[in-house]
Amino acid sequence: MILLTSTQREQLLANGRQSDVDHVPVVKFFNPLGSGVWLATELDRDGDILFGLADLGFPELGSWSLGAMQAVRLPFDMRIERDLHFTGDFPISVWADMARRAGGIREAERILYSGARAPSTPTPKPTDTQSRKH
């Protein structure tokens, strides 16, 4: 599998030229056999160093090498994959905050796309006007 389409590469490079922006992730990579999820928002002009949110057991913002990711060989001749259905939809700061509160990117994704609340976020109680039937 190609980890980056030409369109994704161009968007990541464009985002890399505007590093002071809270970008929406362009692409999601994952380990199909275990831990490891990456959300990339930017690509350096060298074409190798990605920036975004990485989760190898604890989510954190940082940089990693696309070449190193492509070189990973997993059991059963598998490799790191790109999520073909990922859309991003939220700025990386939202992903990072939710992933830290939820315990990982996969958990954050379930919460963000289900409309559910993050763990330890109290559910507001209805007010008198909210609880009345109209």
Side-chain angles (χ1 to χ4, degrees):
M1 167 181 277
I2 297 171
L3 286 182
L4 285 179
T5 66
S6 59
T7 302
Q8 289 168 330
R9 179 178 295 278
E10 290 305 315
Q11 183 62 56
L12 289 164
L13 286 166
N15 289 355
R17 292 188 290 271
Q18 299 176 330
S19 60
D20 58 333
V21 176
D22 190 12
H23 295 289
V24 170
V26 173
V27 62
K28 173 186 170 187
F29 305 108
F30 66 97
N31 175 348
L33 297 178
S35 65
V37 180
W38 301 261
L39 302 179
T41 59
E42 301 169 34
L43 180 63
D44 283 354
R45 62 183 153 176
D46 68 3
D48 182 54
I49 303 300
L50 292 158
F51 176 81
L53 184 63
D55 183 0
L56 298 171
F58 181 81
E60 64 180 301
L61 292 168
S63 300
W64 65 91
S65 166
L66 177 62
M69 183 177 277
Q70 291 170 321
V72 171
R73 298 296 182 260
L74 301 167
F76 311 111
D77 201 30
M78 296 187 82
R79 299 178 183 203
I80 301 299
E81 295 185 18
R82 172 174 40 95
D83 185 337
L84 300 175
H85 304 288
F86 180 74
T87 57
D89 299 323
F90 306 94
I92 196 66
S93 62
V94 172
W95 281 101
D97 179 58
M98 186 61 71
R100 288 181 187 121
R101 293 189 309 155
I105 292 174
R106 287 183 172 122
E107 295 81 4
E109 189 169 27
R110 281 190 281 276
I111 292 167
L112 288 169
Y113 287 104
S114 72
R117 297 188 178 279
S120 78
T121 301
T123 303
K125 295 180 182 177
T127 63
D128 287 337
T129 57
Q130 289 174 325
S131 60
R132 285 189 221 142
K133 293 184 180 180
H134 296 280

